[in-house]
Amino acid sequence: MGIEHPTEPDLHWLRQAIELSRRCTPSTSAFSVGAMIVDVDGTLVADGWSRRDDPHEHAEEAALTRAGTDPRLATATIYSSLEPCSARASRSRTCAELILASGLRRVVFAWREPEIFVDCEGAERLRDAGLTVVEVPSLAPLVRKVNAHLLGA
């Protein structure tokens, strides 16, 4: 499996997810993350951000909850400002597990989760399960800026 490069629509939607992350209530124990689920035709299916409806909610979890069992998930992409988590203390299922269970087949994110809270392997777990995972490190500085309060910056 080769490396897939982001498309112009990928960059657009990922920037939108990063903008959503600015809505997060800042936390000293969790990242501020935004996520958007977009159908193959460019229609927004659902969005979410960390702590949107619950203090322990992750962005991908919020977006997936809003999407429910929408049949478009099978052809949609989830855009997340941060790598989907593979370890979690506050819930029984990680975002990587929720994405796999949803039927989504494509994930685009900007910033690999740094080892501040957990050692994240979300991208690897999703790739190992056969999903297409696109990392866009050129947008990572925008995500780091939103999370500067956690980085000592």
Side-chain angles (χ1 to χ4, degrees), residues 70-90:
D70 192 308
R72 296 176 291 174
L73 290 175
T75 59
T77 297
I78 188 165
Y79 296 91
S80 180
S81 57
L82 187 70
E83 175 183 17
C85 70
S86 63
R88 193 165 178 185
S90 62

Side-chain angles (χ1 to χ4, degrees), residues 8-29:
E8 282 304 315
D10 287 338
L11 296 174
H12 166 78
W13 288 110
L14 189 52
R15 284 187 187 102
Q16 295 301 309
I18 294 167
E19 282 305 308
L20 274 181
S21 72
R22 297 180 194 285
R23 296 184 184 182
C24 298
T25 304
S27 169
T28 58
S29 60

